[in-house]
Amino acid sequence: MDRVVLLLLLCVAPLVRGYPTGLVTDSCVNMLPNHSGHSPQTKPAPFTVMMDRSSYKLGDQVKVTLQAPAPLTFRGFLLEAREVGGLSPVGSFSLISTDAQLLTCSQKSNSAVAHNSGNIKTSIQVKWTPDASGNANNIQFHATFVQDFNTFWVVTSPALTFANGVAGGPTTLTTSTTTIQQFTPPSLVQQTSISSANCSISKVCFSQPSNCDPANGDCYFMSALMVSGEAIRYEMKGPSNGYIAFGLSDDQKMGNDDIYICGIDGNGIVGVQHAISTGRTYPTILPLGNVSNITASVQNGVISCSFTSMNIISLTRTAGFSNAYYLLFVHGPSSNGKIQIHTETFISTKTINISDPGVVQDEGVPSIVKAHGALMLIAWMTLGSLGMMVARYLKKTAKGKKVIGKDVWFVVHVGVMILTVAATIIAFILIFSYEQQWSGGVHPVLGCLVMILSFLQPIMALLRCAPQHPRRFLFNWSHALNALVIKVLAVAAIFTGLQYLDSTTDQWLVKVMGGMVGWEALFFILLDVQSRCMVNRTDTLDLTAMTNEGLLVALFFLGNFAFLVALLVGIGSS
């Protein structure tokens, strides 16, 4: 019986390897202790990696502190310096604390530091010196804290910026975030450039324009490759001056999304963040979690990030790798590393299972949003313009001509403006029924102002005093001024709306809109000149004036109709 027990112990012993002496060179690559059957903690680490400066130059010595908050302690640790996104150690360490020893990792002497006993520790201090030769880059310190055999964390410090010859000098103490990263061996994922190769064969791809290859052009692209049952290799790339990001969602709207952000921080360094959104507000930044093999760069204004994540996709209504999700892709500016409101959004037409390779198409602009834009365009660039021209220029020339007991110009003006206000109200209801909440940016502000003033305009007209009233001029001026303000606000709202709808690089819809506004301004000037000429000519018949102004109005609407059709076609195909 004793022999059987001894044999079992000999078989099990190799699987339970602990290193109280700190000789942990087997963990140099993945930073994980060989505690069989145990993985790093997924909750935020209580321990921190602190540096005495935020930048360095060649020849500097950076003091690095591994710190445990009272009353917590740790027994084992491993510390390395690596280039951002790299896997090999850089630089060399020297000891300050006596509870530490230097190790050789990747055949590089003094490139790592570990414990030399299993004693309780609260703080470890060492000094790191960059390599004297080679290309210096931004680096991060990676540390493993072992609290006991079952409990350990892998923590990454903020980037230490290479100052390129500028004196680094001591600064305020820089601490690590509670980001937890598990660095997997390089054999798990082969580092390659981002491209559309193997889309729908081994990975899910989503791009704008559809089927673009990010290796050959500046398009927006993301892919997801299932490298194991619990690990996904994500890639994203696109032109931006701040950040690009993708989200996994259980619907096609912002909010309740699992997000990864690839952005430029305040030091110009590209990094990856994990976040979750709970609505149209700034997303909540989460610990990076089990993310490894990060590569990130920005070249010629194009940002790219690749990384492997073992984080479970977790939303309010769904969770896990096996569920189907909509893909959202956005890009926008950032300020000192904080992302701002995105300038463009791409949404997949259908849900996709990450484990099922395929190519996902961009949904484009929802039909209800297109209808909103088309109604506002028709209302304020065609109908509204007609109503204003009739009231301003045909009022005098068509004076005395009646229909249903009213002046012709008045009947046309009232009828057209009723249609304008009705189209505005319908467009307003459509967009709010789609959004169901307030969205950011200047466009909704302009739209609401147009809606309010448009609603007030007919009320003012109903309450007007008689034409012979001595204060009638107050109504005339306020009515005309309010119409002018509405027109200006509506044009501005349409411009900002077309910028959202137009995903082309040259923004041709905005340019056509500019031509339409210029065309209208030209004919308002011509009609004003014609009107003044008729006033100065006493021998001219009213019929002649009416004919001239009628021809100008007709010519205007021929051009207006051409611009309108072009814009409606563009909105429909956006």
Side-chain angles (χ1 to χ4, degrees):
M1 181 65 181
D2 292 340
R3 291 181 179 178
V4 174
V5 172
L6 179 60
L7 181 60
L8 288 173
L9 288 174
L10 289 174
C11 292
V12 173
L15 300 177
V16 187
R17 292 185 291 172
Y19 296 96
T21 60
L23 298 176
V24 292
T25 52
D26 287 352
S27 302
C28 284
V29 175
N30 60 15
M31 300 293 292
L32 300 178
N34 286 308
H35 295 178
S36 180
H38 297 283
S39 300
Q41 298 296 301
T42 57
K43 59 185 178 181
F47 308 105
T48 54
V49 181
M50 300 186 292
M51 304 170 289
D52 67 345
R53 65 194 67 206
S54 59
S55 63
Y56 77 97
K57 62 182 180 65
L58 296 180
D60 278 351
Q61 281 195 324
V62 181
K63 182 185 289 187
V64 184
T65 303
L66 307 184
Q67 187 67 49
L72 297 180
T73 60
F74 58 94
R75 292 181 177 274
F77 70 91
L78 175 63
L79 174 66
E80 289 184 19
R82 298 176 178 177
E83 291 184 0
V84 175
L87 291 171
S88 300
V90 295
S92 60
F93 290 95
S94 57
L95 301 179
I96 299 177
S97 300
T98 57
D99 288 341
Q101 63 177 323
L102 300 173
L103 298 180
T104 298
C105 283
S106 300
Q107 300 180 344
K108 184 178 178 64
S109 300
N110 304 332
S111 58
V113 186
H115 56 280
N116 58 13
S117 70
N119 296 336
I120 290 175
K121 304 168 184 65
T122 58
S123 179
I124 293 291
Q125 286 191 332
V126 296
K127 288 184 178 180
W128 177 81
T129 304
D131 294 324
S133 60
N135 296 322
N137 290 302
N138 302 327
I139 65 105
Q140 289 177 304
F141 292 100
H142 302 280
T144 302
F145 292 87
V146 179
Q147 199 169 39
D148 54 48
F149 188 85
N150 302 324
T151 310
F152 55 91
W153 288 264
V154 181
V155 178
T156 304
S157 75
L160 182 66
T161 308
F162 176 56
N164 196 22
V166 180
T171 62
T172 55
L173 199 64
T174 302
T175 64
S176 67
T177 60
T178 56
T179 297
I180 311 160
Q181 291 192 2
Q182 175 183 342
F183 281 79
T184 53
S187 59
L188 178 62
V189 177
Q190 183 179 0
Q191 301 293 338
T192 58
S193 61
I194 298 177
S195 73
S196 60
N198 296 320
C199 285
S200 75
I201 299 174
S202 60
K203 63 184 182 181
V204 172
C205 297
F206 180 46
S207 64
Q208 175 62 32
S210 299
N211 300 318
C212 76
D213 188 351
N216 301 324
D218 295 343
C219 61
Y220 297 99
F221 178 88
M222 71 83 56
S223 68
L225 170 66
M226 205 80 177
V227 294
S228 72
E230 297 180 347
I232 302 175
R233 182 67 177 173
Y234 291 113
E235 299 175 324
M236 55 177 147
K237 184 176 181 180
S240 176
N241 60 354
Y243 71 95
I244 56 176
F246 72 85
L248 301 164
S249 179
D250 48 20
D251 57 29
Q252 292 177 294
K253 296 181 180 180
M254 296 291 176
N256 186 37
D257 311 317
D258 196 334
I259 302 170
Y260 286 98
I261 303 166
C262 176
I264 304 172
D265 67 12
N267 297 318
I269 302 170
V270 181
V272 175
Q273 287 181 309
H274 187 202
I276 188 168
S277 64
T278 54
R280 289 183 176 270
T281 58
Y282 188 83
T284 302
I285 303 299
L286 304 174
L288 198 55
N290 289 327
V291 173
S292 62
N293 288 358
I294 300 174
T295 60
S297 67
V298 56
Q299 295 181 348
N300 300 321
V302 179
I303 300 175
S304 61
C305 286
S306 302
F307 55 93
T308 301
S309 174
M310 296 181 68
N311 295 327
I312 296 294
I313 301 169
S314 181
L315 305 176
T316 302
R317 293 183 286 271
T318 56
F321 295 130
S322 60
N323 292 303
Y325 303 95
Y326 287 100
L327 295 178
L328 314 177
F329 193 105
V330 302
H331 65 92
S334 62
S335 177
N336 293 322
K338 184 174 182 179
I339 65 173
Q340 307 298 304
I341 295 175
H342 50 268
T343 55
E344 204 166 15
T345 305
F346 311 118
I347 305 172
S348 64
T349 55
K350 61 180 181 179
T351 58
I352 188 73
N353 191 318
I354 298 298
S355 61
D356 184 15
V359 175
V360 189
Q361 301 295 326
D362 176 24
E363 180 197 36
V365 180
S367 297
I368 194 170
V369 177
K370 294 179 182 179
H372 163 80
L375 283 172
M376 291 298 289
L377 182 68
I378 294 170
W380 290 106
M381 293 308 298
T382 298
L383 294 177
S385 300
L386 175 61
M388 294 173 71
M389 282 187 173
V390 167
R392 182 173 177 83
Y393 301 111
L394 301 184
K395 181 177 181 179
K396 294 180 180 179
T397 55
K399 188 175 182 180
K401 294 178 174 57
K402 305 282 185 179
V403 61
I404 61 172
K406 299 288 184 179
D407 288 341
V408 171
W409 75 266
F410 180 78
V411 174
V412 174
H413 173 73
V414 171
V416 169
M417 295 314 295
I418 287 175
L419 290 176
T420 301
V421 174
T424 303
I425 293 173
I426 294 171
F428 188 81
I429 293 172
L430 285 177
I431 199 64
F432 264 88
S433 65
Y434 171 74
E435 295 289 349
Q436 296 182 354
Q437 60 183 333
W438 182 260
S439 58
V442 69
H443 181 75
V445 175
L446 294 171
C448 286
L449 290 174
V450 170
M451 180 67 255
I452 293 169
L453 296 178
S454 299
F455 190 74
L456 291 176
Q457 189 77 333
I459 295 176
M460 291 170 57
L462 289 173
L463 298 177
R464 70 189 184 279
C465 51
Q468 295 78 22
H469 196 282
R471 295 182 180 176
R472 172 70 179 216
F473 72 94
L474 293 176
F475 163 75
N476 293 339
W477 277 101
S478 61
H479 191 67
L481 181 61
N482 192 46
L484 178 62
V485 171
I486 296 173
K487 179 69 175 182
V488 172
L489 292 174
V491 169
I494 292 171
F495 268 115
T496 57
L498 290 176
Q499 288 176 341
Y500 165 75
L501 292 173
D502 191 355
S503 60
T504 60
T505 55
D506 60 352
Q507 290 274 289
W508 73 270
L509 284 178
V510 177
K511 294 177 181 178
V512 173
M513 177 63 184
M516 191 176 191
V517 172
W519 179 261
E520 182 170 333
L522 172 64
F523 275 84
F524 266 101
I525 293 172
L526 292 176
L527 285 165
D528 253 1
V529 172
Q530 164 69 16
S531 179
R532 292 181 183 277
C533 289
M534 290 300 103
V535 169
N536 295 330
R537 292 180 59 183
T538 58
D539 60 335
T540 303
L541 297 175
D542 287 345
L543 181 60
T544 304
M546 183 177 180
T547 301
N548 291 341
E549 291 183 349
L551 288 174
L552 285 174
V553 171
L555 182 59
F556 162 73
F557 276 101
L558 284 175
N560 179 275
F561 183 74
F563 281 110
L564 179 65
V565 170
L567 288 172
L568 291 177
V569 170
I571 291 172
S573 61
S574 62

